[in-house]
Each structure stands twice: as C-alpha cells, then as structure tokens.
Amino acid sequence: MAGTIPTSQKGGQLSVPTKFFYGFGSVAFGVKDQGFSYLLLIFYNQVVGLPSATVGLAIMIALIIDSFLDPIMGQVSDNWRSRWGRRHPFMYTAALPVALSYLLLWNPPQGWSHEALFVYLIVVAVVIRSFITMYEIPSSALAAELTTDYDERTKVMSYRYFFAWWGGLTMTLLALKVFLTPDADHPIGQLNPAGYVTYGYVAAAVIFAAIMISALGTHGQIPRLRVPPARKLTLGQLAREMVGTLSHKSFLVLMGAGLFNAMAGGLVLSLNLYFNTFFWQMPSGQIAILAAANFISAALAFGFAAPLSKKLGKKQTAQLTKVLSFVIAITPIALRLLGVFPENGSPALLPILFVQAVFSTGFSIISAILISSMIADVVEDSELQTGRRSEGLFFAASAFVQKAVSGVGIFASSMILLAIGFPQNAKPGQVSEGVVSNLGLTYLFVLGGLYGAAIACVSLYRITRDSHAASLAKLAAQAEQVEAGEGPEHTA
C-alpha cells in the first residue's frame, strides 16, 4: 500500500480552524489570478508601453511552460518523503519566491527596449507561475489527504473556492478604488504607474501571508497524513506510472468536463464586457456593481455546495447546478432577443442583471466545487487499482487541462466577433441592431454546446457515495492485512 491509513484519517469531520486555514491559502492563487486576468495587460500595454500583441504572446508563452510543470509537480509531491510530509515542504518553499516575483512583475526596469521588456515579462511570469504551482498543486492535493469523508471533502473545497474568489476580488477592487487613483499627471487612475507599484507591494505581502498562514495553520495535520513508500524511481517508471494513474475512467470524464468548462469560462469572461457595454449599454459604474455580485455568488456557493451535495449526491448536484447556471445566464439575453425584456436604460435592468449574475455565477462555482470534490474521491478508487496515492498528480492534471485550454474560449470569442462582423472602435448605441442580435444568438448556441458537453462528461462519472465507502473499506482491510503481515505491500 502507499503508506498506512492513520486511524484518525479514516474519514470524520475536520475542525473549522483546519478548514479555515486550508482554504485561506487559496487567497494567494486568487490574487495572482485576478491580477493576471484584469490588470496585467493594461499595465504593460498602456503604462509600460509594450504592444498588446507582445504582452499577449509573453503571457501565452508563460502559460504553456507553466502548464507542463503541473503534472511534474504533482508526481514529485506524491512521492516526496520528509519529516514535514509530502506537501508542506513545497508550500513553505514557494511563499517568498512567489511574493518577490509578483512584486517584480509590477516594477519592471525603466528605460529598457521593448525586446528586453518582452523577455523580462516572460521570465518573471514563468517564475511566478512556477512557484505558485509549487504551492497550489500540493495545497490542492492536501484536501484529499485531510479527510476521506465523502461530504467533508465538499466542505473543504467550499472553503477553498470561497477564499480564492473573495481574496482575488477584494484585491482587484482595492487596486481599482484605492491604489489606481488619478493625480495631476495621470487623470485616469488605471494609467497611474505609482498605483501599480503600491498594488504590487500590497498584493505580494498578501500572497506571502496567505501561503504562510495556510501552511502553518495546517502544519499540525502532518502526522495524520500519508507517507509514501521509499522507492528509487527512474524517469521511465515515473512516466509509466503517470500514464497509468491518469487513465482512470472517472478521472478522464472529469477532465473532459474541465476542458469544456474552461473553454466556456474563457468565452464568458472575454465577452462579458462586450455584452455589458454594447448589448445592455451600461455605464462603467453599473458594470462595477455587476462585478461586485461575485462576492455574493461566492458566499452563496460556500453555503449551499455541501448541503446540496449531501442531499442529492455530487454528480447530480454538479449537473443540476451547471444546468441552472446556464439557464439563468442566458435567460435575459434570450428574452431580449424575443423582445420581452426591459429596455436599455430602464431602472429595472440593473437589479435584474445583478440577481442573474449572483445566481448564475453562484451555481457555476458550486458545480466547480463539486467537480473538485469528485476528483478527490477518485484517489481511493485509483489506489485500489494501482496501489498508489496520487492526489497531487490528479489535481495537477486537472490544472494542466484548464490552463492549456483557457485560451481556446478567448479565441472562440474573437471568432464570434469576426463572424458577426462586429466593428472596430465601436461605440455603445451605434452598433447595428442586427450585429448586436447576432452576438447574443451566437453566444447562446456556442455556450450551450460547451455547457452541454461538460454536463454529458459528468454524467459518465461512476463513483458514488456507496462505492466510495466500499473503496475505503477495502483499503482499510488491505492496510490491516499489511500491518498483520498477511498481505503484500505494493510499491509500484
């Protein structure tokens, strides 16, 4: 077996502080992710002066390099042996390099050529993503080690998603409302270089603190965690084990769901501003209010993911919430296309879209929480087949798929805009009604296809509450045989 199962780890409830400290670490990932998504392009393009295509290419190169590091990090941490366990050494090691490199990202050298800044951006982005991977993959894998309980894992993941969303959103709003303020030389706050410097220092400090607080807060759990068997592994053997582990059927269908979800997420994110600006013709202040709805969405998901899963089961809840998210997301657009929705500028428009955003995003987060919890349940089923605990590898592969295809949704968005003939330098209210209608109609069909494919993949998942309990019972019986010297100890 891949290490014995401590009695205290055979399921059971975790304390609220343990779940809090575990989940709090995802603030680091949320801050990094929001910074890359919302601030990095405009900073390096409009403030530093790099062409937008150059910035996009640098980010893409860093993303590709990082995505291939994920499975390697997962496999390494699964097999790491130390007095601090498999995960914590990497979590502690990553904290300072992540914070320092994130600080460097927002303080590029002055007076460098575009070519030199291009290389600088690639190098710093790769360093940040590499070290955040060193933290994030072991930290994600820790969820499946802290508890084997079917429902408790969903609660653990709820904490993780809640802090990731709230941490990232809070830091982004602080940047926009506090740090990026106008001055005499920069009447537009988003173009104030000093604001980005301040943001870089504060964000780096938050990232460092989140990682250290999480690592220290869960440090006491190390004696309860798995210890991998001592093995001398060749690169060939590692590669074969990776392929064998990741061939698990229920895991593969979750990867398919993750692939389509990532494409749908990229599509929604990249076209969101187009819809708010040109379809709904909303001013920036109202768009900011809609963005704040995500705080409520994250809280909604935190409160309801575990109860719904306990009542309906993980697979059923993941499918149901994905359907609800899609239906709620498209309803205002569909009603507008049918001519039965409040007109742009109506006092009712913002409240309706705010409520729609709260519940559509909230249900989407619940579905993501459940899928992550389902990945954790694959661990024991796989262990029965392979004799290995591979939490890190499973979560790393999931991250790899999402990173590798996240740009596909953005590409699809650009193709939609090209296909419908959306004009360059467009102004709200001046785009033809036919083009705006085609944007809404095409969006509905493409998003529906991606969500439908994701739901179909989840339907093929085969691990249930009962089958998971049976796997735990078999593993416990095998562990008892090993301890009694009655059975072989698998090391491959």
Side-chain angles (χ1 to χ4, degrees):
M1 297 292 294
T4 59
I5 307 174
T7 300
S8 62
Q9 197 187 339
K10 294 179 181 178
Q13 307 297 306
L14 295 172
S15 68
V16 171
T18 296
K19 288 182 282 193
F20 172 88
F21 285 123
Y22 171 76
F24 190 78
S26 64
V27 167
F29 185 81
V31 170
K32 188 278 301 179
D33 215 35
Q34 289 282 325
F36 269 71
S37 298
Y38 288 100
L39 301 176
L40 192 62
L41 177 59
I42 192 172
F43 172 65
Y44 272 89
N45 177 223
Q46 299 295 326
V47 178
V48 177
L50 282 179
S52 59
T54 301
V55 179
L57 179 60
I59 296 173
M60 185 181 70
I61 291 173
L63 180 66
I64 292 172
I65 295 173
D66 173 51
S67 64
F68 283 97
L69 291 175
D70 289 336
I72 297 173
M73 186 69 251
Q75 184 76 335
V76 169
S77 70
D78 281 338
N79 291 281
W80 195 261
R81 291 172 61 90
S82 78
R83 62 189 181 92
W84 285 357
R86 295 191 288 173
R87 317 299 181 187
H88 282 76
F90 300 102
M91 296 162 67
Y92 285 120
T93 301
L96 188 58
V98 169
L100 290 177
S101 55
Y102 199 74
L103 177 60
L104 290 175
L105 184 68
W106 306 100
N107 290 271
Q110 302 294 317
W112 282 23
S113 67
H114 283 184
E115 292 77 11
L117 286 171
F118 173 66
V119 175
Y120 177 87
L121 177 56
I122 293 174
V123 172
V124 175
V126 167
V127 172
I128 292 171
R129 287 187 172 277
S130 298
F131 280 104
I132 200 72
T133 293
M134 181 181 286
Y135 166 72
E136 185 68 12
I137 296 304
S139 177
S140 298
L142 195 58
E145 289 193 85
L146 288 172
T147 179
T148 58
D149 185 86
Y150 183 84
D151 295 307
E152 190 69 2
R153 281 176 168 172
T154 302
K155 295 178 183 178
V156 171
M157 289 298 179
S158 296
Y159 276 82
R160 186 172 193 83
Y161 275 80
F162 174 81
F163 280 110
W165 276 83
W166 271 63
L169 288 169
T170 299
M171 186 52 61
T172 301
L173 287 180
L174 282 174
L176 295 174
K177 298 295 185 181
V178 179
F179 307 137
L180 300 176
T181 54
D183 59 22
D185 297 323
H186 306 92
I188 299 177
Q190 296 94 311
L191 303 181
N192 187 348
Y196 287 99
V197 173
T198 305
Y199 163 79
Y201 276 101
V202 175
V206 169
I207 288 173
F208 178 78
I211 293 176
M212 292 302 297
I213 289 171
S214 181
L216 290 169
T218 56
H219 193 96
Q221 300 294 319
I222 292 174
R224 301 178 55 236
L225 305 180
R226 301 288 185 133
V227 178
R231 300 189 294 161
K232 292 183 178 180
L233 295 171
T234 65
L235 289 177
Q237 186 176 358
L238 280 173
R240 288 192 296 272
E241 287 188 0
M242 289 175 66
V243 173
T245 299
L246 298 179
S247 297
H248 190 283
K249 292 181 180 179
S250 284
F251 178 73
L252 288 177
V253 299
L254 291 181
M255 288 305 91
L259 184 149
F260 291 114
N261 280 332
M263 288 192 287
L267 182 73
V268 171
L269 182 63
S270 56
L271 287 182
N272 182 60
L273 197 57
Y274 279 86
F275 273 94
N276 288 333
T277 304
F278 299 104
F279 196 89
W280 304 118
Q281 297 179 22
M282 305 182 76
S284 59
Q286 291 186 347
I287 294 174
I289 293 174
L290 288 183
N294 289 329
F295 282 103
I296 303 176
S297 301
L300 178 76
F302 177 79
F304 286 95
L308 286 173
S309 171
K310 190 169 185 178
K311 184 176 181 62
L312 302 176
K314 294 180 183 180
K315 182 173 83 170
Q316 291 77 9
T317 304
Q319 291 177 292
L320 175 62
T321 51
K322 181 59 70 175
V323 170
L324 289 173
S325 175
F326 172 68
V327 171
I328 294 172
I330 69 166
T331 295
I333 299 173
L335 292 178
R336 168 58 62 82
L337 293 175
L338 293 173
V340 290
F341 200 72
E343 295 294 324
N344 292 342
S346 167
L349 185 64
L350 179 60
I352 293 174
L353 293 181
F354 185 89
V355 173
Q356 175 261 335
V358 166
F359 285 98
S360 176
T361 304
F363 283 127
S364 181
I365 298 173
I366 290 175
S367 182
I369 290 171
L370 269 296
I371 290 176
S372 292
S373 186
M374 290 158 72
I375 292 175
D377 293 337
V378 170
V379 171
E380 286 79 22
D381 198 68
S382 172
E383 186 180 1
L384 280 175
Q385 299 176 18
T386 67
R388 297 185 300 272
R389 296 283 299 188
S390 302
E391 300 96 333
L393 185 56
F394 282 126
F395 281 97
S398 174
F400 169 81
V401 169
Q402 294 187 41
K403 290 176 182 177
V405 303
S406 60
V408 176
I410 300 174
F411 176 75
S413 302
S414 65
M415 291 299 99
I416 288 175
L417 296 174
L418 179 63
I420 66 174
F422 200 91
Q424 296 286 335
N425 302 316
K427 298 185 183 303
Q430 297 182 13
V431 181
S432 72
E433 184 177 342
V435 169
V436 173
S437 297
N438 286 337
L439 173 64
L441 192 61
T442 307
Y443 177 80
L444 297 187
F445 279 107
V446 175
L447 189 64
L450 293 173
Y451 271 34
I455 294 168
C457 287
V458 173
S459 70
L460 300 175
Y461 182 81
R462 291 293 176 258
I463 299 174
T464 64
R465 184 190 305 274
D466 291 339
S467 69
H468 180 254
S471 295
L472 292 178
K474 291 177 182 178
L475 290 172
Q478 290 179 4
E480 290 174 1
Q481 288 181 350
V482 170
E483 291 174 2
E486 299 174 2
E489 182 173 355
H490 299 290
T491 59

